[in-house]
């Protein structure tokens, strides 16, 4: 099932036009394997993305850390929607993610330019990422 989903994600990403600025993958059932593909896509063809919507998926701490590394190359990124994902559930895992995201934002790279960070339904707040 994970392999099928990853093939579907890869095919979907291939349909995006060059220079796309807004990408919504909300509700696509994305999980760890998919975020590896999204991260690779961002590093290659997705550098012009201004807004990335990943709400309502199955994104956990470990897989999102892979994506955060990819987003460092996305200098135009201003909006990142992560709501309704199980990021903050489990206490320590949520705290680790908050620290990792906060570190990425403070590092001065692309993520430091975020103007909108959607965390609704994750049990995290913007303060967790500071």
């Amino acid at each position: 099932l994970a392999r099928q989903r990853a093939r579907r994600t890869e095919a979907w990403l291939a349909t995006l036009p060059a220079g796309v600025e807004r990408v919504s993958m909300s509700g696509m059932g994305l999980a760890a394997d998919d975020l590896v593909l999204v991260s690779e896509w961002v590093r290659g063809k997705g550098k012009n993305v201004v807004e990335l919507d990943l709400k309502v998926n199955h994104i956990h701490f470990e897989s999102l850390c892979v994506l955060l590394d990819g987003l460092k190359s996305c200098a135009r990124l201003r909006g990142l929607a992560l709501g309704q994902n199980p990021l903050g559930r489990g206490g320590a895992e949520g705290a680790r993610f908050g620290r990792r995201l906060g570190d990425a934002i403070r590092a001065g790279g692309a993520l430091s330019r975020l103007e909108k960070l959607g965390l609704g339904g994750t049990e995290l707040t913007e303060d967790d990422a500071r």
Side-chain angles (χ1 to χ4, degrees):
L1 183 63
R3 198 173 294 172
Q4 284 178 320
R5 189 179 54 244
R7 280 195 300 266
R8 182 197 69 205
T9 300
E10 187 172 34
W12 189 88
L13 288 168
T15 68
L16 294 175
V20 66
E21 293 185 349
R22 287 174 177 73
V23 176
S24 177
M25 300 182 84
S26 179
M28 288 181 61
L30 303 178
D33 294 343
D34 303 295
L35 287 192
V36 169
L37 296 170
V38 173
S39 181
E40 291 170 359
W41 177 83
V42 166
R43 282 188 188 112
K45 297 180 181 178
K47 293 182 180 180
N48 289 320
V49 171
V50 176
E51 292 183 11
L52 181 58
D53 181 353
L54 298 172
K55 294 185 306 271
V56 194
N57 282 292
H58 306 289
I59 300 172
H60 293 272
F61 170 75
E62 292 84 8
S63 55
L64 193 61
C65 289
V66 171
L67 180 66
L68 290 178
D69 289 338
L71 292 177
K72 290 176 185 176
S73 66
C74 198
R76 297 185 65 207
L77 187 68
R78 298 297 180 266
L80 180 59
L82 300 171
Q84 303 301 316
N85 282 292
L87 297 172
R89 299 183 183 110
E93 183 176 275
R96 283 190 354 233
F97 168 72
R99 283 192 302 273
R100 178 78 184 261
L101 180 58
D103 290 347
I105 290 170
R106 286 186 298 278
L111 290 173
S112 67
R113 296 179 188 91
L114 278 179
E115 296 170 3
K116 295 185 282 183
L117 177 60
L119 296 171
T122 64
E123 298 181 20
L124 292 175
T125 67
E126 287 191 31
D127 288 338
D128 292 321
R130 295 185 196 272

